[in-house]
Amino acid sequence: QVQLVESGGGLVQAGGSLRLSCVASGSILSINAMAWYRQAPGSQREMVAVITSGSSTNYADSVKGRFTISRDNAENTVYLQMNSLKPEDTAVYYCNVLGRRWPNRYFDVWGQGTLVNISS
């Protein structure tokens, strides 16, 4: 089993910053991609940012230049630094991690979600 624990959400004013964290634990053998998604009320879940095992990154156009995804492989942790936040960034943010676990099984797990609320 692999579990994800997210933290860092909250309420901030527009223009402010937040840093989300997601820690993966369990019988992990290796981690491939780590990503952040978000889902606003009444909207579909969308990819925000993804980082591969080689640290290549990709971002949604709406967050490019404002958000930065990074990972700490030693700690099985992925971060999302969010700057210049806008009210339209308000959503529940979910962490998603793909990799392999003991005994060499593929896993694709999601965090419980953390609420980011940006006031205007």
Side-chain angles (χ1 to χ4, degrees):
Q1 294 283 2
V2 176
Q3 299 83 35
L4 303 182
V5 176
E6 302 166 3
S7 61
L11 172 64
V12 297
Q13 289 187 330
S17 298
L18 282 173
R19 188 192 196 206
L20 305 183
S21 300
C22 173
V23 181
S25 62
S27 51
I28 297 170
L29 296 178
S30 62
I31 292 179
N32 299 327
M34 308 180 85
W36 289 95
Y37 287 73
R38 68 185 180 186
Q39 187 167 18
S43 299
Q44 290 188 333
R45 190 172 297 188
E46 63 174 356
M47 189 276 290
V48 175
V50 60
I51 184 167
T52 68
S53 57
S55 295
S56 296
T57 58
N58 192 32
Y59 296 91
D61 288 343
S62 58
V63 307
K64 283 181 180 176
R66 300 188 298 122
F67 291 10
T68 302
I69 189 170
S70 60
R71 60 191 283 172
D72 182 335
N73 292 326
E75 300 294 333
N76 290 338
T77 300
V78 61
Y79 303 97
L80 185 68
Q81 178 66 44
M82 305 185 293
N83 299 327
S84 302
L85 284 160
K86 304 175 181 180
E88 52 264 42
D89 294 318
T90 294
V92 177
Y93 284 69
Y94 296 91
C95 175
N96 175 236
V97 176
L98 293 85
R100 302 198 73 80
R101 63 175 178 86
W102 190 88
N104 201 28
R105 300 276 177 85
Y106 171 79
F107 72 84
D108 179 354
V109 296
W110 291 84
Q112 79 283 3
T114 185
L115 177 63
V116 171
N117 193 350
I118 311 302
S119 63
S120 58

PDB file of all heavy atoms in Angstrom, residues 36-40 42-48 92-96 110-113:
ATOM      1  N   TRP A  36       0.385  17.553  -9.512  1.00  0.00           N
ATOM      2  CA  TRP A  36      -0.683  18.257  -8.802  1.00  0.00           C
ATOM      3  C   TRP A  36      -1.831  18.516  -9.777  1.00  0.00           C
ATOM      4  O   TRP A  36      -1.603  18.958 -10.914  1.00  0.00           O
ATOM      5  CB  TRP A  36      -0.203  19.575  -8.226  1.00  0.00           C
ATOM      6  CG  TRP A  36       0.728  19.424  -7.079  1.00  0.00           C
ATOM      7  CD1 TRP A  36       2.092  19.433  -7.107  1.00  0.00           C
ATOM      8  CD2 TRP A  36       0.363  19.234  -5.706  1.00  0.00           C
ATOM      9  NE1 TRP A  36       2.592  19.255  -5.847  1.00  0.00           N
ATOM     10  CE2 TRP A  36       1.557  19.137  -4.971  1.00  0.00           C
ATOM     11  CE3 TRP A  36      -0.852  19.144  -5.033  1.00  0.00           C
ATOM     12  CZ2 TRP A  36       1.566  18.943  -3.585  1.00  0.00           C
ATOM     13  CZ3 TRP A  36      -0.843  18.946  -3.668  1.00  0.00           C
ATOM     14  CH2 TRP A  36       0.348  18.855  -2.951  1.00  0.00           C
ATOM     15  N   TYR A  37      -3.029  18.241  -9.312  1.00  0.00           N
ATOM     16  CA  TYR A  37      -4.248  18.536 -10.037  1.00  0.00           C
ATOM     17  C   TYR A  37      -5.097  19.445  -9.163  1.00  0.00           C
ATOM     18  O   TYR A  37      -4.852  19.574  -7.961  1.00  0.00           O
ATOM     19  CB  TYR A  37      -5.033  17.249 -10.336  1.00  0.00           C
ATOM     20  CG  TYR A  37      -4.438  16.373 -11.403  1.00  0.00           C
ATOM     21  CD1 TYR A  37      -3.289  15.626 -11.150  1.00  0.00           C
ATOM     22  CD2 TYR A  37      -5.012  16.280 -12.667  1.00  0.00           C
ATOM     23  CE1 TYR A  37      -2.732  14.809 -12.130  1.00  0.00           C
ATOM     24  CE2 TYR A  37      -4.467  15.459 -13.650  1.00  0.00           C
ATOM     25  CZ  TYR A  37      -3.335  14.731 -13.371  1.00  0.00           C
ATOM     26  OH  TYR A  37      -2.787  13.927 -14.341  1.00  0.00           O
ATOM     27  N   ARG A  38      -6.100  20.049  -9.762  1.00  0.00           N
ATOM     28  CA  ARG A  38      -7.041  20.832  -8.965  1.00  0.00           C
ATOM     29  C   ARG A  38      -8.439  20.701  -9.541  1.00  0.00           C
ATOM     30  O   ARG A  38      -8.615  20.424 -10.719  1.00  0.00           O
ATOM     31  CB  ARG A  38      -6.620  22.295  -8.902  1.00  0.00           C
ATOM     32  CG  ARG A  38      -6.719  23.060 -10.217  1.00  0.00           C
ATOM     33  CD  ARG A  38      -6.150  24.467 -10.042  1.00  0.00           C
ATOM     34  NE  ARG A  38      -6.224  25.240 -11.285  1.00  0.00           N
ATOM     35  CZ  ARG A  38      -5.689  26.449 -11.438  1.00  0.00           C
ATOM     36  NH1 ARG A  38      -5.031  27.021 -10.428  1.00  0.00           N
ATOM     37  NH2 ARG A  38      -5.814  27.086 -12.582  1.00  0.00           N
ATOM     38  N   GLN A  39      -9.398  20.909  -8.655  1.00  0.00           N
ATOM     39  CA  GLN A  39     -10.794  20.854  -9.071  1.00  0.00           C
ATOM     40  C   GLN A  39     -11.553  21.966  -8.372  1.00  0.00           C
ATOM     41  O   GLN A  39     -11.660  21.973  -7.139  1.00  0.00           O
ATOM     42  CB  GLN A  39     -11.407  19.496  -8.737  1.00  0.00           C
ATOM     43  CG  GLN A  39     -12.804  19.321  -9.283  1.00  0.00           C
ATOM     44  CD  GLN A  39     -13.274  17.880  -9.225  1.00  0.00           C
ATOM     45  OE1 GLN A  39     -12.715  17.054  -8.496  1.00  0.00           O
ATOM     46  NE2 GLN A  39     -14.288  17.550 -10.007  1.00  0.00           N
ATOM     47  N   ALA A  40     -12.043  22.891  -9.171  1.00  0.00           N
ATOM     48  CA  ALA A  40     -12.861  23.987  -8.657  1.00  0.00           C
ATOM     49  C   ALA A  40     -14.325  23.546  -8.628  1.00  0.00           C
ATOM     50  O   ALA A  40     -14.718  22.638  -9.358  1.00  0.00           O
ATOM     51  CB  ALA A  40     -12.692  25.215  -9.535  1.00  0.00           C
ATOM     52  N   GLY A  42     -17.910  22.832  -9.485  1.00  0.00           N
ATOM     53  CA  GLY A  42     -18.612  22.806 -10.753  1.00  0.00           C
ATOM     54  C   GLY A  42     -17.738  22.565 -11.962  1.00  0.00           C
ATOM     55  O   GLY A  42     -18.217  22.638 -13.101  1.00  0.00           O
ATOM     56  N   SER A  43     -16.460  22.291 -11.736  1.00  0.00           N
ATOM     57  CA  SER A  43     -15.529  22.093 -12.851  1.00  0.00           C
ATOM     58  C   SER A  43     -14.906  20.709 -12.790  1.00  0.00           C
ATOM     59  O   SER A  43     -14.930  20.050 -11.748  1.00  0.00           O
ATOM     60  CB  SER A  43     -14.416  23.146 -12.820  1.00  0.00           C
ATOM     61  OG  SER A  43     -14.947  24.436 -12.942  1.00  0.00           O
ATOM     62  N   GLN A  44     -14.332  20.292 -13.915  1.00  0.00           N
ATOM     63  CA  GLN A  44     -13.624  19.021 -13.936  1.00  0.00           C
ATOM     64  C   GLN A  44     -12.236  19.178 -13.331  1.00  0.00           C
ATOM     65  O   GLN A  44     -11.669  20.279 -13.287  1.00  0.00           O
ATOM     66  CB  GLN A  44     -13.500  18.534 -15.383  1.00  0.00           C
ATOM     67  CG  GLN A  44     -14.820  18.092 -15.999  1.00  0.00           C
ATOM     68  CD  GLN A  44     -14.631  17.442 -17.362  1.00  0.00           C
ATOM     69  OE1 GLN A  44     -13.670  17.731 -18.069  1.00  0.00           O
ATOM     70  NE2 GLN A  44     -15.539  16.558 -17.726  1.00  0.00           N
ATOM     71  N   ARG A  45     -11.697  18.072 -12.868  1.00  0.00           N
ATOM     72  CA  ARG A  45     -10.336  18.081 -12.342  1.00  0.00           C
ATOM     73  C   ARG A  45      -9.368  18.337 -13.497  1.00  0.00           C
ATOM     74  O   ARG A  45      -9.503  17.761 -14.577  1.00  0.00           O
ATOM     75  CB  ARG A  45     -10.010  16.749 -11.671  1.00  0.00           C
ATOM     76  CG  ARG A  45      -8.725  16.730 -10.894  1.00  0.00           C
ATOM     77  CD  ARG A  45      -8.553  15.451 -10.102  1.00  0.00           C
ATOM     78  NE  ARG A  45      -9.589  15.297  -9.083  1.00  0.00           N
ATOM     79  CZ  ARG A  45      -9.579  14.341  -8.155  1.00  0.00           C
ATOM     80  NH1 ARG A  45      -8.575  13.471  -8.122  1.00  0.00           N
ATOM     81  NH2 ARG A  45     -10.566  14.249  -7.289  1.00  0.00           N
ATOM     82  N   GLU A  46      -8.398  19.211 -13.255  1.00  0.00           N
ATOM     83  CA  GLU A  46      -7.433  19.553 -14.292  1.00  0.00           C
ATOM     84  C   GLU A  46      -6.007  19.431 -13.770  1.00  0.00           C
ATOM     85  O   GLU A  46      -5.751  19.633 -12.577  1.00  0.00           O
ATOM     86  CB  GLU A  46      -7.660  20.983 -14.795  1.00  0.00           C
ATOM     87  CG  GLU A  46      -7.467  22.060 -13.758  1.00  0.00           C
ATOM     88  CD  GLU A  46      -7.553  23.473 -14.332  1.00  0.00           C
ATOM     89  OE1 GLU A  46      -7.685  23.631 -15.550  1.00  0.00           O
ATOM     90  OE2 GLU A  46      -7.474  24.414 -13.528  1.00  0.00           O
ATOM     91  N   MET A  47      -5.096  19.094 -14.670  1.00  0.00           N
ATOM     92  CA  MET A  47      -3.696  19.008 -14.306  1.00  0.00           C
ATOM     93  C   MET A  47      -3.142  20.409 -14.120  1.00  0.00           C
ATOM     94  O   MET A  47      -3.389  21.302 -14.941  1.00  0.00           O
ATOM     95  CB  MET A  47      -2.900  18.270 -15.388  1.00  0.00           C
ATOM     96  CG  MET A  47      -1.475  17.945 -15.022  1.00  0.00           C
ATOM     97  SD  MET A  47      -0.295  19.297 -15.321  1.00  0.00           S
ATOM     98  CE  MET A  47      -0.252  19.351 -17.111  1.00  0.00           C
ATOM     99  N   VAL A  48      -2.398  20.600 -13.045  1.00  0.00           N
ATOM    100  CA  VAL A  48      -1.756  21.876 -12.768  1.00  0.00           C
ATOM    101  C   VAL A  48      -0.280  21.821 -13.138  1.00  0.00           C
ATOM    102  O   VAL A  48       0.230  22.692 -13.842  1.00  0.00           O
ATOM    103  CB  VAL A  48      -1.914  22.252 -11.288  1.00  0.00           C
ATOM    104  CG1 VAL A  48      -1.143  23.532 -10.974  1.00  0.00           C
ATOM    105  CG2 VAL A  48      -3.385  22.396 -10.923  1.00  0.00           C
ATOM    106  N   VAL A  92      -9.827  22.707  -4.821  1.00  0.00           N
ATOM    107  CA  VAL A  92      -9.206  21.647  -4.026  1.00  0.00           C
ATOM    108  C   VAL A  92      -8.055  21.095  -4.861  1.00  0.00           C
ATOM    109  O   VAL A  92      -8.247  20.729  -6.021  1.00  0.00           O
ATOM    110  CB  VAL A  92     -10.205  20.531  -3.681  1.00  0.00           C
ATOM    111  CG1 VAL A  92      -9.496  19.410  -2.924  1.00  0.00           C
ATOM    112  CG2 VAL A  92     -11.364  21.093  -2.852  1.00  0.00           C
ATOM    113  N   TYR A  93      -6.885  21.055  -4.272  1.00  0.00           N
ATOM    114  CA  TYR A  93      -5.683  20.600  -4.958  1.00  0.00           C
ATOM    115  C   TYR A  93      -5.358  19.170  -4.520  1.00  0.00           C
ATOM    116  O   TYR A  93      -5.332  18.872  -3.319  1.00  0.00           O
ATOM    117  CB  TYR A  93      -4.515  21.529  -4.659  1.00  0.00           C
ATOM    118  CG  TYR A  93      -4.600  22.829  -5.429  1.00  0.00           C
ATOM    119  CD1 TYR A  93      -5.584  23.770  -5.132  1.00  0.00           C
ATOM    120  CD2 TYR A  93      -3.707  23.110  -6.464  1.00  0.00           C
ATOM    121  CE1 TYR A  93      -5.688  24.952  -5.853  1.00  0.00           C
ATOM    122  CE2 TYR A  93      -3.796  24.297  -7.181  1.00  0.00           C
ATOM    123  CZ  TYR A  93      -4.782  25.199  -6.872  1.00  0.00           C
ATOM    124  OH  TYR A  93      -4.876  26.380  -7.591  1.00  0.00           O
ATOM    125  N   TYR A  94      -5.119  18.325  -5.509  1.00  0.00           N
ATOM    126  CA  TYR A  94      -4.855  16.908  -5.263  1.00  0.00           C
ATOM    127  C   TYR A  94      -3.453  16.544  -5.758  1.00  0.00           C
ATOM    128  O   TYR A  94      -3.042  16.945  -6.859  1.00  0.00           O
ATOM    129  CB  TYR A  94      -5.863  16.032  -5.997  1.00  0.00           C
ATOM    130  CG  TYR A  94      -7.280  16.197  -5.547  1.00  0.00           C
ATOM    131  CD1 TYR A  94      -8.120  17.127  -6.161  1.00  0.00           C
ATOM    132  CD2 TYR A  94      -7.798  15.432  -4.509  1.00  0.00           C
ATOM    133  CE1 TYR A  94      -9.435  17.294  -5.752  1.00  0.00           C
ATOM    134  CE2 TYR A  94      -9.110  15.585  -4.096  1.00  0.00           C
ATOM    135  CZ  TYR A  94      -9.922  16.513  -4.726  1.00  0.00           C
ATOM    136  OH  TYR A  94     -11.222  16.660  -4.314  1.00  0.00           O
ATOM    137  N   CYS A  95      -2.782  15.754  -4.982  1.00  0.00           N
ATOM    138  CA  CYS A  95      -1.494  15.190  -5.363  1.00  0.00           C
ATOM    139  C   CYS A  95      -1.722  13.818  -6.008  1.00  0.00           C
ATOM    140  O   CYS A  95      -2.591  13.066  -5.569  1.00  0.00           O
ATOM    141  CB  CYS A  95      -0.644  15.054  -4.097  1.00  0.00           C
ATOM    142  SG  CYS A  95       0.939  14.260  -4.317  1.00  0.00           S
ATOM    143  N   ASN A  96      -0.939  13.520  -7.030  1.00  0.00           N
ATOM    144  CA  ASN A  96      -1.020  12.230  -7.711  1.00  0.00           C
ATOM    145  C   ASN A  96       0.396  11.711  -7.919  1.00  0.00           C
ATOM    146  O   ASN A  96       1.264  12.458  -8.401  1.00  0.00           O
ATOM    147  CB  ASN A  96      -1.732  12.396  -9.047  1.00  0.00           C
ATOM    148  CG  ASN A  96      -1.750  11.122  -9.874  1.00  0.00           C
ATOM    149  OD1 ASN A  96      -1.296  11.112 -11.020  1.00  0.00           O
ATOM    150  ND2 ASN A  96      -2.273  10.042  -9.336  1.00  0.00           N
ATOM    151  N   TRP A 110      -3.811   8.803  -5.243  1.00  0.00           N
ATOM    152  CA  TRP A 110      -4.223  10.197  -5.089  1.00  0.00           C
ATOM    153  C   TRP A 110      -4.263  10.580  -3.618  1.00  0.00           C
ATOM    154  O   TRP A 110      -4.597   9.759  -2.757  1.00  0.00           O
ATOM    155  CB  TRP A 110      -5.610  10.401  -5.690  1.00  0.00           C
ATOM    156  CG  TRP A 110      -5.642  10.280  -7.167  1.00  0.00           C
ATOM    157  CD1 TRP A 110      -5.752   9.126  -7.894  1.00  0.00           C
ATOM    158  CD2 TRP A 110      -5.575  11.342  -8.124  1.00  0.00           C
ATOM    159  NE1 TRP A 110      -5.743   9.411  -9.230  1.00  0.00           N
ATOM    160  CE2 TRP A 110      -5.636  10.758  -9.400  1.00  0.00           C
ATOM    161  CE3 TRP A 110      -5.469  12.733  -8.011  1.00  0.00           C
ATOM    162  CZ2 TRP A 110      -5.594  11.528 -10.579  1.00  0.00           C
ATOM    163  CZ3 TRP A 110      -5.418  13.485  -9.165  1.00  0.00           C
ATOM    164  CH2 TRP A 110      -5.487  12.886 -10.442  1.00  0.00           C
ATOM    165  N   GLY A 111      -3.945  11.834  -3.358  1.00  0.00           N
ATOM    166  CA  GLY A 111      -4.091  12.367  -2.024  1.00  0.00           C
ATOM    167  C   GLY A 111      -5.538  12.701  -1.733  1.00  0.00           C
ATOM    168  O   GLY A 111      -6.406  12.621  -2.604  1.00  0.00           O
ATOM    169  N   GLN A 112      -5.788  13.120  -0.492  1.00  0.00           N
ATOM    170  CA  GLN A 112      -7.140  13.404  -0.053  1.00  0.00           C
ATOM    171  C   GLN A 112      -7.619  14.786  -0.498  1.00  0.00           C
ATOM    172  O   GLN A 112      -8.810  15.080  -0.430  1.00  0.00           O
ATOM    173  CB  GLN A 112      -7.238  13.282   1.479  1.00  0.00           C
ATOM    174  CG  GLN A 112      -6.699  14.484   2.257  1.00  0.00           C
ATOM    175  CD  GLN A 112      -5.182  14.532   2.338  1.00  0.00           C
ATOM    176  OE1 GLN A 112      -4.471  13.703   1.780  1.00  0.00           O
ATOM    177  NE2 GLN A 112      -4.684  15.544   3.043  1.00  0.00           N
ATOM    178  N   GLY A 113      -6.699  15.610  -0.934  1.00  0.00           N
ATOM    179  CA  GLY A 113      -7.046  16.959  -1.374  1.00  0.00           C
ATOM    180  C   GLY A 113      -6.844  17.984  -0.280  1.00  0.00           C
ATOM    181  O   GLY A 113      -7.051  17.708   0.902  1.00  0.00           O
TER     182      GLY A 113
END
